[in-house]
Every structure is written in C-alpha cells, then in structure tokens.
Amino acid sequence: MRRILAIGYWLLAIGLIGSVSAQNIPAVPADSLPMDSTLADSEGDELEEMDDLEVNASGIPDWLTSHFSNDTLFVACDFGVLPRKIVVRTNNGDAVYKIAPQFVLGDTSLLNNHPADSIYRHIWTDERVNPYGNLFDSLVDDVHIPMKGFCLPAPGYVTSPYGWRRYRMHRGTDIKVQVGDSIRLAWDGQVRIVGWDPRGYGYYVVVRHDNGLETIYGHLSRPLVDEYERIYAGEVIGLGGNTGRSTGSHLHLEIRYLGNALDPATFIDFSTGQLKHKDEYVIGIKAIKQQRAAEAQMQWYKVKSGDTLSGIAKKYHTSVKKLCQLNKIKETSLLQIGQKLRVR
C-alpha cells in the first residue's frame, strides 16, 4: 500500500510548504539519517490522479531544509486539497508517510469490527498493557493461532532471551537494533497503546492482531503510529531506541495472548527470521498454567551481612548445589549484600 513520491512533485502538486511543528517525542538526529531517501505514501490518501506516479527523490534543496525537525519533514497545504502529512526516514532507508496525529480522527467505532474482539470480550483500553484479569485462566482448551502474514519486526541478533533474569522474569526477547532503525509490525492489527514507561518499556507500542495475539515493542526512540490506527504486517511502526530501563539500544519484543506472555522464541527462529510454525501455532493452555503455578511457588531470599551459601541452604532445608543451580552461580561465588537468591 505504498507508492513513491518525490518532494519536487509535492511542490508542483500543492504549491505550498508550511511551517515546522515539532512533536513532543524525542527524535533521532537528522545527520544520522540519509538525505536522499524516497518518500512513500499510503493509497487512498492522495488525489486519484496521483495514484500511478513513481518519481525518485533527487535530494532536498537547501531552502527546504528549514522544514525539517530532526528526522521529520512537515508538509502543509490547503486542507481541502490535501491533509497535513509527515514523512519520517529511518536508518534502513524506509520512509514512513502519514497524516499528522492532530488530523487523525479518533474513531473508536473501528474497535467493534476488530477480528479478535470476541476473544478479548470487548475489552479495549489504553490504560494498562494487561487489563484482562483472569480471562486467560478461564481457558480450558488449547488455542489455535493462524500464523500467515508474518513479518520479522527487526533482523538483529538476540541479546537477551525470554526467561528468568536473576530474580525477575524477563517476559520478552531483546533484539539488537540501532537508534533510528526500522521496527516493523509482525502481523496485521490495530494499535491499542502508544505509551511511555520511564522505568520499563520507555516509548512502546502495543498492537492487537487479527489472529488474537498482542505484541509489544519496547525501548523505541520514536513511535510512528497512533492509538486505534489500523496497520499491516511489515509497516514501520517506530524507530529503534534506548529509552526506559535499558542499557543499550535494542528492541524488547513481547508476544501475548489475553495478557499472558509467551516466549517469542517458540514462534520465531531468530537466527533465520522465519516462523517455526508457518501456518498455525497451538498454545498449550494446560502446560502454560502448570508453568505459571511453578513460578508462583518460587521463593527468594535477600542476602544480608554475614550470610553464606551453606547458611542459607540450611535455613531453607536445601543444598548449596541446588542453590547454585537455581541461581546459575558457583559454590565459590561471593555474595553481595542486597543480592537476591532463589531458594525454591
């Protein structure tokens, strides 16, 4: 649903370039992005006679650079002719071309037609990532999820997998990306949340997909979609970043069903970027509930001054060997005051 459109044609077609209106979301420095990228737009947004045009951009003249704010070109014209547009260029050479948020109609009636609406019992909110209560716990039978139409969100290598990270659960897969890289949508869907979490996700996007899954894209430097927006697999939904609780630029990717986090590596072979089950994935409800019950039984101990592994093992009626296995440490490891050890 994209066509190539040059800046030169903008000038001929609408004859009016507006002023810059910066967004509140921090953007990638302009000098880190290519200046000769082509500009892509969405079918249906333009006048009918523009549909078949394919013109390569020949660069941006000096007098037009004043209309850039970091990585964003702001183009304005008579609203009766063409609505305001934004073009954002990524490190990968992608150009995201869309209506500015202030001109997007917040039509929440679209939600009533979402293919997964019945699965989520008509619950749609932007207030919490997981607002679904015990809906997952009420499931009895395995769930069959169609997988067709998948696109890998980012091609980087895995820096941290799903699973226990010291004393807390890491419910996603971290993929190495650079600030400004294209982050793409995994399956067709609709945006539920565009949010900011300074202690966790940073800038993040939550999308409910037509197949019933939800995905979360965390630590973005800049989201490029709006809440309620209908988007499609492969579309760029944001720029890679290092926001929130992050020690380096990466994408934190989560896959959830009714709020329950699932290991993305059971869906995706990150070494090849391909799905492990190309047509259908079966969520084993019984196995997941057993795993969650086991997690609920886990017990942790906070190391105090004078503690030793043998002393902690004796207190919790276990062995030093078992403590080392649970915490992936050696018997000779030095304990730190305040360190949390799993004892069950």
Side-chain angles (χ1 to χ4, degrees):
M1 293 184 61
R2 289 186 171 83
R3 303 182 303 281
I4 305 304
L5 189 66
I7 294 174
Y9 188 80
W10 271 102
L11 303 179
L12 293 175
I14 64 179
L16 178 62
I17 298 296
S19 60
V20 177
S21 175
Q23 296 189 42
N24 294 326
I25 300 174
V28 184
D31 57 9
S32 68
L33 299 169
M35 292 299 290
D36 59 350
S37 299
T38 56
L39 308 180
D41 73 311
S42 300
E43 285 189 19
D45 287 341
E46 301 298 343
L47 302 177
E48 186 176 350
E49 60 267 23
M50 300 171 71
D51 285 348
D52 296 326
L53 287 175
E54 291 190 2
V55 184
N56 291 324
S58 58
I60 301 172
D62 292 339
W63 61 267
L64 186 57
T65 58
S66 63
H67 293 275
F68 275 86
S69 173
N70 292 312
D71 59 353
T72 302
L73 169 65
F74 292 86
V75 180
C77 68
D78 184 342
F79 193 79
V81 178
L82 192 69
R84 184 177 176 86
K85 299 289 177 179
I86 295 178
V87 179
V88 179
R89 296 161 303 153
T90 76
N91 286 348
N92 307 70
D94 293 296
V96 181
Y97 177 70
K98 60 180 290 185
I99 301 174
Q102 58 264 41
F103 288 98
V104 175
L105 297 178
D107 186 4
T108 58
S109 65
L110 294 173
L111 309 182
N112 297 327
N113 299 318
H114 193 285
D117 192 40
S118 60
I119 295 173
Y120 284 84
R121 309 285 178 87
H122 309 284
I123 298 173
W124 184 286
T125 175
D126 59 2
E127 295 179 356
R128 285 186 296 157
V129 171
N130 180 11
Y132 307 117
N134 62 355
L135 284 185
F136 187 89
D137 295 332
S138 66
L139 297 177
V140 177
D141 299 324
D142 290 348
V143 178
H144 296 255
I145 304 292
M147 292 282 99
K148 290 185 178 180
F150 170 77
C151 177
L152 185 69
Y157 57 89
V158 173
T159 59
S160 183
Y162 178 100
W164 285 98
R165 182 187 285 176
R166 294 185 179 178
Y167 56 87
R168 64 185 179 89
M169 188 66 176
H170 181 235
R171 300 191 183 279
T173 296
D174 290 347
I175 305 168
K176 180 59 181 176
V177 298
Q178 300 299 327
V179 174
D181 283 355
S182 300
I183 305 300
R184 302 180 185 278
L185 186 66
W187 291 277
D188 293 356
Q190 192 162 358
V191 180
R192 184 163 67 84
I193 301 175
V194 177
W196 164 247
D197 174 16
R199 297 183 180 180
Y201 293 121
Y203 286 113
Y204 68 99
V205 172
V206 179
V207 178
R208 181 178 296 176
H209 298 285
D210 297 355
N211 61 10
L213 297 174
E214 288 193 330
T215 49
I216 303 172
Y217 308 82
H219 306 305
L220 304 177
S221 63
R222 185 188 188 105
L224 297 176
V225 291
D226 302 301
E227 290 178 353
Y228 309 120
E229 185 176 349
R230 176 71 180 173
I231 48 180
Y232 299 91
E235 288 192 41
V236 178
I237 62 171
L239 303 180
N242 184 29
T243 59
R245 186 176 182 178
S246 172
T247 56
S249 59
H250 69 281
L251 170 67
H252 174 83
L253 173 67
E254 293 188 19
I255 298 179
R256 296 189 177 213
Y257 185 78
L258 290 177
N260 187 83
L262 305 167
D263 185 353
T266 63
F267 293 82
I268 307 166
D269 182 347
F270 287 99
S271 64
T272 64
Q274 302 297 314
L275 287 174
K276 293 182 177 180
H277 308 272
K278 295 186 182 300
D279 296 321
E280 182 181 76
Y281 179 85
V282 179
I283 301 176
I285 301 301
K286 182 178 179 180
I288 291 177
K289 288 183 177 180
Q290 289 175 342
Q291 179 183 348
R292 289 173 60 182
E295 291 177 3
Q297 296 299 316
M298 291 180 181
Q299 190 173 354
W300 301 86
Y301 176 77
K302 190 173 183 179
V303 175
K304 301 175 183 177
S305 177
D307 278 336
T308 63
L309 282 174
S310 59
I312 296 172
K314 183 177 180 180
K315 181 177 180 179
Y316 287 94
H317 307 287
T318 185
S319 65
V320 171
K321 183 178 180 180
K322 183 65 174 178
L323 288 179
C324 291
Q325 290 175 341
L326 289 174
N327 295 280
K328 297 181 180 179
I329 59 176
K330 298 179 180 179
E331 295 186 13
T332 56
S333 296
L334 296 177
L335 300 181
Q336 303 292 327
I337 295 175
Q339 177 182 353
K340 288 189 176 181
L341 294 177
R342 182 182 166 191
V343 294
R344 289 280 188 274

